[in-house]
Amino acid sequence: RTCAETSVEAFIDLHGHATRTGAFFYGCGISDIEQALLPRIASLASKDVCFFFSRFKFAKAHNKTARAVVFRQFDIASSFTVEASFLGSCVPSSPADASSTVFTAFRTETIGFAIARALAIHLRVADRGAPAKQADAASPALEQPLTQCPQIYPQFGFFTNANAQLAPWMTLDSLEGLRRDQVLSDMLAAGSSIQELLNQEE
C-alpha cells in the first residue's frame, strides 16, 4: 500500500565488505528472476560489479537489515544491500598489481555511477521524460536524461568514452541503447531461475 501511495521505487543500502572482493548485491529472497535485473545491468556497466557474487536468498538472521525492513514494511521489491570491498576488485597477485585492483575513493565512486546508470535503465527513466508541469523555459524536459551525466559531473569524461584510460574498469558503452526488457529477455533465455543464472559463473 505504501509503495502504491509514494514514488519510491527502489532502495539501496550501501555497505563496505571486509572479506570479499569486488562489489555485489544482496536481495530480499524474491524468487522472480526479475529481482536480479538491476544487479545484472549494473554488472554490465562496470567490471567492478560482480553479478555472480550477488546473493538473493534471504536468511532469518537478515530480518533486521534495512533492505528487509523496506521490503516487508513498505512493499518495495527493489530493495538491496550493495557491498563494496574495502580492498578492491580482487586480491592483487603482487604489490605491483595493487594499483590496478585497489578501490581508491575515485574508483569506489565510479561503482555508484554504474549503479545509477543501471537504475535509470531498470526504472525506465529515459521513457518517462519530465512531468508536463515541469516542461517550461525555467525547467526544460529531459527527453534523454541518461545524456546529462557528463554535464552534471564533467570531470568523469569516461561517460562519453573520451578518456577510457581514466577508468578502464568501466564499461558504460555497453549500456548505450540498452533497454530493460532486452536484458530481462536475455536472462530468461539463459536460465529459469536466479540460482540457475548464478550457477553459470565460469
mmCIF file of all heavy atoms in Angstrom, residues 22-73:
data_model
loop_
_atom_site.group_PDB
_atom_site.id
_atom_site.type_symbol
_atom_site.label_atom_id
_atom_site.label_comp_id
_atom_site.label_asym_id
_atom_site.label_seq_id
_atom_site.Cartn_x
_atom_site.Cartn_y
_atom_site.Cartn_z
ATOM 1 N N GLY A 22 35.472 -7.004 -4.798
ATOM 2 C CA GLY A 22 34.508 -6.520 -5.767
ATOM 3 C C GLY A 22 33.310 -5.869 -5.111
ATOM 4 O O GLY A 22 33.273 -5.626 -3.900
ATOM 5 N N ALA A 23 32.306 -5.562 -5.921
ATOM 6 C CA ALA A 23 31.033 -5.028 -5.442
ATOM 7 C C ALA A 23 29.932 -5.976 -5.885
ATOM 8 O O ALA A 23 29.990 -6.544 -6.985
ATOM 9 C CB ALA A 23 30.798 -3.629 -6.007
ATOM 10 N N PHE A 24 28.921 -6.143 -5.047
ATOM 11 C CA PHE A 24 27.860 -7.115 -5.346
ATOM 12 C C PHE A 24 26.607 -6.754 -4.563
ATOM 13 O O PHE A 24 26.634 -5.897 -3.663
ATOM 14 C CB PHE A 24 28.318 -8.532 -5.015
ATOM 15 C CG PHE A 24 28.952 -8.665 -3.655
ATOM 16 C CD1 PHE A 24 28.200 -8.995 -2.538
ATOM 17 C CD2 PHE A 24 30.320 -8.447 -3.495
ATOM 18 C CE1 PHE A 24 28.785 -9.103 -1.290
ATOM 19 C CE2 PHE A 24 30.918 -8.551 -2.240
ATOM 20 C CZ PHE A 24 30.150 -8.883 -1.132
ATOM 21 N N PHE A 25 25.507 -7.401 -4.907
ATOM 22 C CA PHE A 25 24.197 -7.092 -4.335
ATOM 23 C C PHE A 25 23.704 -8.225 -3.436
ATOM 24 O O PHE A 25 23.971 -9.401 -3.698
ATOM 25 C CB PHE A 25 23.162 -6.910 -5.452
ATOM 26 C CG PHE A 25 23.258 -5.629 -6.216
ATOM 27 C CD1 PHE A 25 24.340 -5.388 -7.062
ATOM 28 C CD2 PHE A 25 22.263 -4.664 -6.133
ATOM 29 C CE1 PHE A 25 24.423 -4.206 -7.799
ATOM 30 C CE2 PHE A 25 22.338 -3.491 -6.858
ATOM 31 C CZ PHE A 25 23.416 -3.261 -7.690
ATOM 32 N N TYR A 26 22.947 -7.860 -2.413
ATOM 33 C CA TYR A 26 22.154 -8.812 -1.640
ATOM 34 C C TYR A 26 20.683 -8.435 -1.824
ATOM 35 O O TYR A 26 20.308 -7.274 -1.651
ATOM 36 C CB TYR A 26 22.493 -8.754 -0.146
ATOM 37 C CG TYR A 26 23.821 -9.361 0.234
ATOM 38 C CD1 TYR A 26 24.621 -8.758 1.197
ATOM 39 C CD2 TYR A 26 24.272 -10.536 -0.362
ATOM 40 C CE1 TYR A 26 25.844 -9.310 1.569
ATOM 41 C CE2 TYR A 26 25.492 -11.088 0.003
ATOM 42 C CZ TYR A 26 26.273 -10.470 0.969
ATOM 43 O OH TYR A 26 27.486 -11.025 1.315
ATOM 44 N N GLY A 27 19.861 -9.432 -2.186
ATOM 45 C CA GLY A 27 18.443 -9.192 -2.388
ATOM 46 C C GLY A 27 17.602 -9.598 -1.191
ATOM 47 O O GLY A 27 18.124 -9.826 -0.094
ATOM 48 N N CYS A 28 16.296 -9.708 -1.423
ATOM 49 C CA CYS A 28 15.357 -9.955 -0.325
ATOM 50 C C CYS A 28 14.653 -11.297 -0.420
ATOM 51 O O CYS A 28 13.566 -11.474 0.131
ATOM 52 C CB CYS A 28 14.319 -8.839 -0.286
ATOM 53 S SG CYS A 28 14.964 -7.295 0.352
ATOM 54 N N GLY A 29 15.226 -12.247 -1.132
ATOM 55 C CA GLY A 29 14.640 -13.580 -1.182
ATOM 56 C C GLY A 29 13.517 -13.745 -2.170
ATOM 57 O O GLY A 29 12.827 -14.768 -2.166
ATOM 58 N N ILE A 30 13.295 -12.752 -3.025
ATOM 59 C CA ILE A 30 12.261 -12.873 -4.054
ATOM 60 C C ILE A 30 12.756 -13.842 -5.124
ATOM 61 O O ILE A 30 13.866 -13.717 -5.627
ATOM 62 C CB ILE A 30 11.954 -11.502 -4.675
ATOM 63 C CG1 ILE A 30 11.488 -10.531 -3.589
ATOM 64 C CG2 ILE A 30 10.904 -11.621 -5.758
ATOM 65 C CD1 ILE A 30 11.285 -9.112 -4.080
ATOM 66 N N SER A 31 11.915 -14.814 -5.458
ATOM 67 C CA SER A 31 12.349 -15.854 -6.399
ATOM 68 C C SER A 31 12.222 -15.426 -7.860
ATOM 69 O O SER A 31 12.857 -16.018 -8.732
ATOM 70 C CB SER A 31 11.533 -17.139 -6.166
ATOM 71 O OG SER A 31 10.146 -16.886 -6.329
ATOM 72 N N ASP A 32 11.426 -14.422 -8.138
ATOM 73 C CA ASP A 32 11.231 -13.945 -9.505
ATOM 74 C C ASP A 32 12.568 -13.523 -10.093
ATOM 75 O O ASP A 32 13.310 -12.742 -9.490
ATOM 76 C CB ASP A 32 10.259 -12.773 -9.496
ATOM 77 C CG ASP A 32 9.824 -12.363 -10.899
ATOM 78 O OD1 ASP A 32 10.533 -12.698 -11.869
ATOM 79 O OD2 ASP A 32 8.779 -11.708 -11.019
ATOM 80 N N ILE A 33 12.872 -14.000 -11.272
ATOM 81 C CA ILE A 33 14.165 -13.704 -11.905
ATOM 82 C C ILE A 33 14.337 -12.208 -12.169
ATOM 83 O O ILE A 33 15.456 -11.708 -12.277
ATOM 84 C CB ILE A 33 14.311 -14.516 -13.213
ATOM 85 C CG1 ILE A 33 15.786 -14.647 -13.590
ATOM 86 C CG2 ILE A 33 13.497 -13.906 -14.343
ATOM 87 C CD1 ILE A 33 16.031 -15.657 -14.692
ATOM 88 N N GLU A 34 13.233 -11.484 -12.217
ATOM 89 C CA GLU A 34 13.301 -10.042 -12.428
ATOM 90 C C GLU A 34 13.990 -9.338 -11.261
ATOM 91 O O GLU A 34 14.510 -8.238 -11.412
ATOM 92 C CB GLU A 34 11.889 -9.474 -12.626
ATOM 93 C CG GLU A 34 11.866 -8.071 -13.164
ATOM 94 C CD GLU A 34 10.493 -7.642 -13.653
ATOM 95 O OE1 GLU A 34 9.618 -8.516 -13.806
ATOM 96 O OE2 GLU A 34 10.297 -6.435 -13.886
ATOM 97 N N GLN A 35 14.021 -9.981 -10.088
ATOM 98 C CA GLN A 35 14.704 -9.414 -8.924
ATOM 99 C C GLN A 35 16.199 -9.234 -9.192
ATOM 100 O O GLN A 35 16.848 -8.375 -8.597
ATOM 101 C CB GLN A 35 14.496 -10.320 -7.707
ATOM 102 C CG GLN A 35 15.287 -9.968 -6.476
ATOM 103 C CD GLN A 35 14.774 -8.716 -5.761
ATOM 104 O OE1 GLN A 35 13.804 -8.116 -6.178
ATOM 105 N NE2 GLN A 35 15.430 -8.334 -4.688
ATOM 106 N N ALA A 36 16.740 -10.033 -10.095
ATOM 107 C CA ALA A 36 18.174 -9.972 -10.394
ATOM 108 C C ALA A 36 18.491 -9.006 -11.530
ATOM 109 O O ALA A 36 19.650 -8.873 -11.914
ATOM 110 C CB ALA A 36 18.683 -11.370 -10.753
ATOM 111 N N LEU A 37 17.492 -8.312 -12.021
ATOM 112 C CA LEU A 37 17.697 -7.462 -13.192
ATOM 113 C C LEU A 37 18.618 -6.280 -12.912
ATOM 114 O O LEU A 37 19.560 -6.020 -13.667
ATOM 115 C CB LEU A 37 16.341 -6.966 -13.701
ATOM 116 C CG LEU A 37 16.341 -6.182 -15.013
ATOM 117 C CD1 LEU A 37 16.964 -7.002 -16.136
ATOM 118 C CD2 LEU A 37 14.909 -5.787 -15.381
ATOM 119 N N LEU A 38 18.378 -5.549 -11.829
ATOM 120 C CA LEU A 38 19.232 -4.398 -11.523
ATOM 121 C C LEU A 38 20.685 -4.808 -11.295
ATOM 122 O O LEU A 38 21.596 -4.191 -11.870
ATOM 123 C CB LEU A 38 18.685 -3.640 -10.308
ATOM 124 C CG LEU A 38 19.549 -2.473 -9.813
ATOM 125 C CD1 LEU A 38 19.726 -1.411 -10.898
ATOM 126 C CD2 LEU A 38 18.940 -1.862 -8.550
ATOM 127 N N PRO A 39 20.968 -5.826 -10.475
ATOM 128 C CA PRO A 39 22.365 -6.253 -10.324
ATOM 129 C C PRO A 39 23.007 -6.653 -11.647
ATOM 130 O O PRO A 39 24.197 -6.379 -11.878
ATOM 131 C CB PRO A 39 22.270 -7.452 -9.369
ATOM 132 C CG PRO A 39 21.033 -7.188 -8.582
ATOM 133 C CD PRO A 39 20.086 -6.550 -9.543
ATOM 134 N N ARG A 40 22.231 -7.283 -12.520
ATOM 135 C CA ARG A 40 22.779 -7.710 -13.809
ATOM 136 C C ARG A 40 23.147 -6.501 -14.674
ATOM 137 O O ARG A 40 24.233 -6.452 -15.268
ATOM 138 C CB ARG A 40 21.773 -8.590 -14.547
ATOM 139 C CG ARG A 40 22.242 -9.068 -15.914
ATOM 140 C CD ARG A 40 23.564 -9.796 -15.815
ATOM 141 N NE ARG A 40 24.034 -10.250 -17.110
ATOM 142 C CZ ARG A 40 25.300 -10.517 -17.382
ATOM 143 N NH1 ARG A 40 26.232 -10.374 -16.444
ATOM 144 N NH2 ARG A 40 25.659 -10.927 -18.569
ATOM 145 N N ILE A 41 22.272 -5.508 -14.733
ATOM 146 C CA ILE A 41 22.566 -4.316 -15.538
ATOM 147 C C ILE A 41 23.770 -3.578 -14.975
ATOM 148 O O ILE A 41 24.639 -3.110 -15.718
ATOM 149 C CB ILE A 41 21.338 -3.390 -15.603
ATOM 150 C CG1 ILE A 41 20.159 -4.099 -16.282
ATOM 151 C CG2 ILE A 41 21.671 -2.113 -16.371
ATOM 152 C CD1 ILE A 41 18.867 -3.307 -16.256
ATOM 153 N N ALA A 42 23.847 -3.486 -13.642
ATOM 154 C CA ALA A 42 24.989 -2.808 -13.015
ATOM 155 C C ALA A 42 26.295 -3.507 -13.354
ATOM 156 O O ALA A 42 27.326 -2.862 -13.561
ATOM 157 C CB ALA A 42 24.791 -2.747 -11.502
ATOM 158 N N SER A 43 26.258 -4.828 -13.431
ATOM 159 C CA SER A 43 27.479 -5.575 -13.764
ATOM 160 C C SER A 43 27.906 -5.335 -15.209
ATOM 161 O O SER A 43 29.073 -5.501 -15.541
ATOM 162 C CB SER A 43 27.267 -7.072 -13.516
ATOM 163 O OG SER A 43 26.433 -7.658 -14.495
ATOM 164 N N LEU A 44 26.968 -4.967 -16.067
ATOM 165 C CA LEU A 44 27.307 -4.648 -17.451
ATOM 166 C C LEU A 44 27.971 -3.278 -17.553
ATOM 167 O O LEU A 44 28.683 -3.006 -18.516
ATOM 168 C CB LEU A 44 26.042 -4.663 -18.326
ATOM 169 C CG LEU A 44 25.304 -6.001 -18.438
ATOM 170 C CD1 LEU A 44 24.031 -5.829 -19.265
ATOM 171 C CD2 LEU A 44 26.195 -7.055 -19.073
ATOM 172 N N ALA A 45 27.738 -2.429 -16.547
ATOM 173 C CA ALA A 45 28.272 -1.066 -16.577
ATOM 174 C C ALA A 45 29.668 -0.961 -15.998
ATOM 175 O O ALA A 45 30.389 -0.003 -16.276
ATOM 176 C CB ALA A 45 27.336 -0.130 -15.815
ATOM 177 N N SER A 46 30.058 -1.925 -15.175
ATOM 178 C CA SER A 46 31.378 -1.869 -14.535
ATOM 179 C C SER A 46 31.888 -3.270 -14.248
ATOM 180 O O SER A 46 31.150 -4.113 -13.737
ATOM 181 C CB SER A 46 31.293 -1.082 -13.223
ATOM 182 O OG SER A 46 32.503 -1.180 -12.500
ATOM 183 N N LYS A 47 33.165 -3.490 -14.545
ATOM 184 C CA LYS A 47 33.786 -4.775 -14.235
ATOM 185 C C LYS A 47 33.919 -4.976 -12.733
ATOM 186 O O LYS A 47 34.131 -6.102 -12.275
ATOM 187 C CB LYS A 47 35.166 -4.853 -14.891
ATOM 188 C CG LYS A 47 35.142 -4.820 -16.409
ATOM 189 C CD LYS A 47 36.552 -4.810 -16.978
ATOM 190 C CE LYS A 47 36.546 -4.703 -18.493
ATOM 191 N NZ LYS A 47 37.926 -4.637 -19.044
ATOM 192 N N ASP A 48 33.804 -3.893 -11.962
ATOM 193 C CA ASP A 48 33.929 -3.986 -10.510
ATOM 194 C C ASP A 48 32.667 -4.529 -9.843
ATOM 195 O O ASP A 48 32.704 -4.903 -8.673
ATOM 196 C CB ASP A 48 34.270 -2.620 -9.917
ATOM 197 C CG ASP A 48 35.703 -2.214 -10.192
ATOM 198 O OD1 ASP A 48 36.523 -3.100 -10.506
ATOM 199 O OD2 ASP A 48 36.009 -1.009 -10.099
ATOM 200 N N VAL A 49 31.552 -4.530 -10.553
ATOM 201 C CA VAL A 49 30.304 -5.073 -10.017
ATOM 202 C C VAL A 49 30.167 -6.500 -10.519
ATOM 203 O O VAL A 49 30.059 -6.734 -11.726
ATOM 204 C CB VAL A 49 29.091 -4.234 -10.448
ATOM 205 C CG1 VAL A 49 27.806 -4.829 -9.870
ATOM 206 C CG2 VAL A 49 29.249 -2.792 -10.008
ATOM 207 N N CYS A 50 30.190 -7.441 -9.604
ATOM 208 C CA CYS A 50 30.141 -8.856 -9.991
ATOM 209 C C CYS A 50 28.748 -9.428 -9.742
ATOM 210 O O CYS A 50 28.323 -9.588 -8.594
ATOM 211 C CB CYS A 50 31.179 -9.658 -9.210
ATOM 212 S SG CYS A 50 31.232 -11.393 -9.716
ATOM 213 N N PHE A 51 28.046 -9.734 -10.805
ATOM 214 C CA PHE A 51 26.714 -10.315 -10.684
ATOM 215 C C PHE A 51 26.778 -11.676 -9.993
ATOM 216 O O PHE A 51 25.910 -12.020 -9.186
ATOM 217 C CB PHE A 51 26.091 -10.456 -12.070
ATOM 218 C CG PHE A 51 24.777 -11.182 -12.070
ATOM 219 C CD1 PHE A 51 23.645 -10.583 -11.534
ATOM 220 C CD2 PHE A 51 24.670 -12.468 -12.595
ATOM 221 C CE1 PHE A 51 22.421 -11.253 -11.526
ATOM 222 C CE2 PHE A 51 23.468 -13.138 -12.584
ATOM 223 C CZ PHE A 51 22.339 -12.533 -12.056
ATOM 224 N N PHE A 52 27.805 -12.444 -10.284
ATOM 225 C CA PHE A 52 27.885 -13.808 -9.766
ATOM 226 C C PHE A 52 28.235 -13.858 -8.277
ATOM 227 O O PHE A 52 28.081 -14.891 -7.642
ATOM 228 C CB PHE A 52 28.884 -14.623 -10.583
ATOM 229 C CG PHE A 52 28.463 -14.796 -12.013
ATOM 230 C CD1 PHE A 52 29.107 -14.112 -13.033
ATOM 231 C CD2 PHE A 52 27.395 -15.620 -12.335
ATOM 232 C CE1 PHE A 52 28.705 -14.269 -14.349
ATOM 233 C CE2 PHE A 52 26.987 -15.780 -13.645
ATOM 234 C CZ PHE A 52 27.642 -15.102 -14.655
ATOM 235 N N PHE A 53 28.684 -12.753 -7.710
ATOM 236 C CA PHE A 53 28.908 -12.674 -6.264
ATOM 237 C C PHE A 53 27.625 -12.312 -5.522
ATOM 238 O O PHE A 53 27.575 -12.414 -4.295
ATOM 239 C CB PHE A 53 29.979 -11.635 -5.937
ATOM 240 C CG PHE A 53 31.393 -12.089 -6.204
ATOM 241 C CD1 PHE A 53 31.663 -13.351 -6.724
ATOM 242 C CD2 PHE A 53 32.463 -11.249 -5.939
ATOM 243 C CE1 PHE A 53 32.965 -13.757 -6.972
ATOM 244 C CE2 PHE A 53 33.775 -11.648 -6.172
ATOM 245 C CZ PHE A 53 34.020 -12.909 -6.697
ATOM 246 N N SER A 54 26.621 -11.850 -6.253
ATOM 247 C CA SER A 54 25.378 -11.409 -5.625
ATOM 248 C C SER A 54 24.599 -12.606 -5.081
ATOM 249 O O SER A 54 24.710 -13.721 -5.591
ATOM 250 C CB SER A 54 24.516 -10.643 -6.637
ATOM 251 O OG SER A 54 25.191 -9.482 -7.092
ATOM 252 N N ARG A 55 23.823 -12.342 -4.035
ATOM 253 C CA ARG A 55 23.024 -13.392 -3.405
ATOM 254 C C ARG A 55 21.606 -12.886 -3.190
ATOM 255 O O ARG A 55 21.392 -11.743 -2.799
ATOM 256 C CB ARG A 55 23.642 -13.815 -2.064
ATOM 257 C CG ARG A 55 25.016 -14.483 -2.216
ATOM 258 C CD ARG A 55 24.907 -15.819 -2.926
ATOM 259 N NE ARG A 55 26.206 -16.454 -3.124
ATOM 260 C CZ ARG A 55 26.916 -16.389 -4.251
ATOM 261 N NH1 ARG A 55 26.452 -15.677 -5.279
ATOM 262 N NH2 ARG A 55 28.076 -17.004 -4.355
ATOM 263 N N PHE A 56 20.629 -13.765 -3.436
ATOM 264 C CA PHE A 56 19.230 -13.357 -3.375
ATOM 265 C C PHE A 56 18.411 -14.170 -2.373
ATOM 266 O O PHE A 56 17.287 -13.805 -2.062
ATOM 267 C CB PHE A 56 18.610 -13.460 -4.775
ATOM 268 C CG PHE A 56 19.318 -12.595 -5.777
ATOM 269 C CD1 PHE A 56 20.389 -13.086 -6.512
ATOM 270 C CD2 PHE A 56 18.946 -11.280 -5.977
ATOM 271 C CE1 PHE A 56 21.070 -12.289 -7.424
ATOM 272 C CE2 PHE A 56 19.616 -10.474 -6.874
ATOM 273 C CZ PHE A 56 20.677 -10.981 -7.601
ATOM 274 N N LYS A 57 18.975 -15.251 -1.847
ATOM 275 C CA LYS A 57 18.308 -15.990 -0.790
ATOM 276 C C LYS A 57 18.361 -15.166 0.492
ATOM 277 O O LYS A 57 19.307 -14.421 0.724
ATOM 278 C CB LYS A 57 18.967 -17.355 -0.583
ATOM 279 C CG LYS A 57 18.774 -18.304 -1.756
ATOM 280 C CD LYS A 57 19.404 -19.661 -1.470
ATOM 281 C CE LYS A 57 19.178 -20.621 -2.636
ATOM 282 N NZ LYS A 57 19.779 -21.949 -2.370
ATOM 283 N N PHE A 58 17.339 -15.337 1.320
ATOM 284 C CA PHE A 58 17.210 -14.477 2.484
ATOM 285 C C PHE A 58 17.125 -15.303 3.759
ATOM 286 O O PHE A 58 16.154 -16.009 4.009
ATOM 287 C CB PHE A 58 15.957 -13.612 2.337
ATOM 288 C CG PHE A 58 15.959 -12.401 3.219
ATOM 289 C CD1 PHE A 58 16.755 -11.310 2.910
ATOM 290 C CD2 PHE A 58 15.183 -12.357 4.356
ATOM 291 C CE1 PHE A 58 16.769 -10.193 3.717
ATOM 292 C CE2 PHE A 58 15.184 -11.242 5.167
ATOM 293 C CZ PHE A 58 15.980 -10.156 4.844
ATOM 294 N N ALA A 59 18.178 -15.215 4.582
ATOM 295 C CA ALA A 59 18.216 -15.966 5.831
ATOM 296 C C ALA A 59 17.464 -15.219 6.928
ATOM 297 O O ALA A 59 17.327 -13.996 6.891
ATOM 298 C CB ALA A 59 19.665 -16.180 6.263
ATOM 299 N N LYS A 60 16.986 -15.948 7.925
ATOM 300 C CA LYS A 60 16.248 -15.351 9.031
ATOM 301 C C LYS A 60 17.080 -14.316 9.768
ATOM 302 O O LYS A 60 16.562 -13.311 10.273
ATOM 303 C CB LYS A 60 15.797 -16.451 10.000
ATOM 304 C CG LYS A 60 14.913 -15.956 11.125
ATOM 305 C CD LYS A 60 14.442 -17.108 11.995
ATOM 306 C CE LYS A 60 13.550 -16.604 13.132
ATOM 307 N NZ LYS A 60 13.081 -17.724 13.982
ATOM 308 N N ALA A 61 18.382 -14.520 9.813
ATOM 309 C CA ALA A 61 19.277 -13.592 10.509
ATOM 310 C C ALA A 61 19.300 -12.215 9.861
ATOM 311 O O ALA A 61 19.767 -11.247 10.475
ATOM 312 C CB ALA A 61 20.686 -14.177 10.542
ATOM 313 N N HIS A 62 18.807 -12.112 8.632
ATOM 314 C CA HIS A 62 18.829 -10.840 7.913
ATOM 315 C C HIS A 62 17.532 -10.050 8.054
ATOM 316 O O HIS A 62 17.351 -9.038 7.381
ATOM 317 C CB HIS A 62 19.108 -11.090 6.428
ATOM 318 C CG HIS A 62 20.438 -11.705 6.163
ATOM 319 N ND1 HIS A 62 20.732 -12.383 4.992
ATOM 320 C CD2 HIS A 62 21.561 -11.763 6.922
ATOM 321 C CE1 HIS A 62 21.976 -12.831 5.046
ATOM 322 N NE2 HIS A 62 22.501 -12.470 6.206
ATOM 323 N N ASN A 63 16.627 -10.505 8.918
ATOM 324 C CA ASN A 63 15.317 -9.873 9.036
ATOM 325 C C ASN A 63 15.378 -8.408 9.459
ATOM 326 O O ASN A 63 14.458 -7.645 9.186
ATOM 327 C CB ASN A 63 14.439 -10.641 10.026
ATOM 328 C CG ASN A 63 13.877 -11.917 9.416
ATOM 329 O OD1 ASN A 63 13.805 -12.047 8.199
ATOM 330 N ND2 ASN A 63 13.493 -12.853 10.252
ATOM 331 N N LYS A 64 16.450 -8.020 10.149
ATOM 332 C CA LYS A 64 16.547 -6.645 10.650
ATOM 333 C C LYS A 64 17.419 -5.755 9.772
ATOM 334 O O LYS A 64 17.693 -4.611 10.142
ATOM 335 C CB LYS A 64 17.063 -6.647 12.086
ATOM 336 C CG LYS A 64 16.090 -7.284 13.076
ATOM 337 C CD LYS A 64 16.596 -7.165 14.513
ATOM 338 C CE LYS A 64 15.595 -7.779 15.490
ATOM 339 N NZ LYS A 64 16.064 -7.660 16.903
ATOM 340 N N THR A 65 17.844 -6.269 8.639
ATOM 341 C CA THR A 65 18.613 -5.426 7.724
ATOM 342 C C THR A 65 17.700 -4.361 7.130
ATOM 343 O O THR A 65 16.474 -4.524 7.067
ATOM 344 C CB THR A 65 19.231 -6.247 6.588
ATOM 345 O OG1 THR A 65 18.182 -6.899 5.857
ATOM 346 C CG2 THR A 65 20.199 -7.292 7.133
ATOM 347 N N ALA A 66 18.292 -3.265 6.692
ATOM 348 C CA ALA A 66 17.495 -2.169 6.133
ATOM 349 C C ALA A 66 16.694 -2.629 4.928
ATOM 350 O O ALA A 66 15.522 -2.258 4.770
ATOM 351 C CB ALA A 66 18.413 -1.000 5.759
ATOM 352 N N ARG A 67 17.303 -3.437 4.060
ATOM 353 C CA ARG A 67 16.588 -3.881 2.865
ATOM 354 C C ARG A 67 15.368 -4.722 3.231
ATOM 355 O O ARG A 67 14.331 -4.657 2.557
ATOM 356 C CB ARG A 67 17.515 -4.638 1.927
ATOM 357 C CG ARG A 67 17.947 -6.021 2.379
ATOM 358 C CD ARG A 67 18.873 -6.676 1.351
ATOM 359 N NE ARG A 67 19.224 -8.042 1.694
ATOM 360 C CZ ARG A 67 20.181 -8.391 2.541
ATOM 361 N NH1 ARG A 67 20.895 -7.446 3.140
ATOM 362 N NH2 ARG A 67 20.449 -9.672 2.774
ATOM 363 N N ALA A 68 15.486 -5.527 4.288
ATOM 364 C CA ALA A 68 14.366 -6.372 4.710
ATOM 365 C C ALA A 68 13.224 -5.533 5.259
ATOM 366 O O ALA A 68 12.051 -5.775 4.963
ATOM 367 C CB ALA A 68 14.835 -7.370 5.757
ATOM 368 N N VAL A 69 13.570 -4.519 6.061
ATOM 369 C CA VAL A 69 12.543 -3.649 6.630
ATOM 370 C C VAL A 69 11.806 -2.896 5.528
ATOM 371 O O VAL A 69 10.575 -2.814 5.517
ATOM 372 C CB VAL A 69 13.179 -2.656 7.623
ATOM 373 C CG1 VAL A 69 12.154 -1.629 8.093
ATOM 374 C CG2 VAL A 69 13.747 -3.418 8.826
ATOM 375 N N VAL A 70 12.550 -2.350 4.587
ATOM 376 C CA VAL A 70 11.932 -1.600 3.492
ATOM 377 C C VAL A 70 11.056 -2.509 2.637
ATOM 378 O O VAL A 70 9.945 -2.129 2.235
ATOM 379 C CB VAL A 70 13.019 -0.921 2.634
ATOM 380 C CG1 VAL A 70 12.419 -0.345 1.352
ATOM 381 C CG2 VAL A 70 13.706 0.177 3.430
ATOM 382 N N PHE A 71 11.537 -3.704 2.378
ATOM 383 C CA PHE A 71 10.782 -4.647 1.556
ATOM 384 C C PHE A 71 9.486 -5.082 2.242
ATOM 385 O O PHE A 71 8.411 -5.061 1.640
ATOM 386 C CB PHE A 71 11.649 -5.863 1.236
ATOM 387 C CG PHE A 71 10.904 -6.999 0.593
ATOM 388 C CD1 PHE A 71 10.243 -6.824 -0.612
ATOM 389 C CD2 PHE A 71 10.868 -8.245 1.205
ATOM 390 C CE1 PHE A 71 9.549 -7.871 -1.205
ATOM 391 C CE2 PHE A 71 10.184 -9.300 0.614
ATOM 392 C CZ PHE A 71 9.523 -9.110 -0.587
ATOM 393 N N ARG A 72 9.577 -5.452 3.492
ATOM 394 C CA ARG A 72 8.427 -6.019 4.177
ATOM 395 C C ARG A 72 7.442 -4.976 4.697
ATOM 396 O O ARG A 72 6.240 -5.202 4.695
ATOM 397 C CB ARG A 72 8.912 -6.907 5.314
ATOM 398 C CG ARG A 72 9.582 -8.171 4.798
ATOM 399 C CD ARG A 72 10.157 -9.020 5.892
ATOM 400 N NE ARG A 72 10.696 -10.271 5.349
ATOM 401 C CZ ARG A 72 11.486 -11.094 6.008
ATOM 402 N NH1 ARG A 72 11.853 -10.815 7.247
ATOM 403 N NH2 ARG A 72 11.931 -12.216 5.449
ATOM 404 N N GLN A 73 7.947 -3.848 5.153
ATOM 405 C CA GLN A 73 7.043 -2.855 5.724
ATOM 406 C C GLN A 73 6.537 -1.848 4.699
ATOM 407 O O GLN A 73 5.483 -1.237 4.907
ATOM 408 C CB GLN A 73 7.723 -2.124 6.881
ATOM 409 C CG GLN A 73 8.035 -3.029 8.071
ATOM 410 C CD GLN A 73 8.470 -2.248 9.301
ATOM 411 O OE1 GLN A 73 8.296 -1.036 9.391
ATOM 412 N NE2 GLN A 73 9.042 -2.957 10.269
#
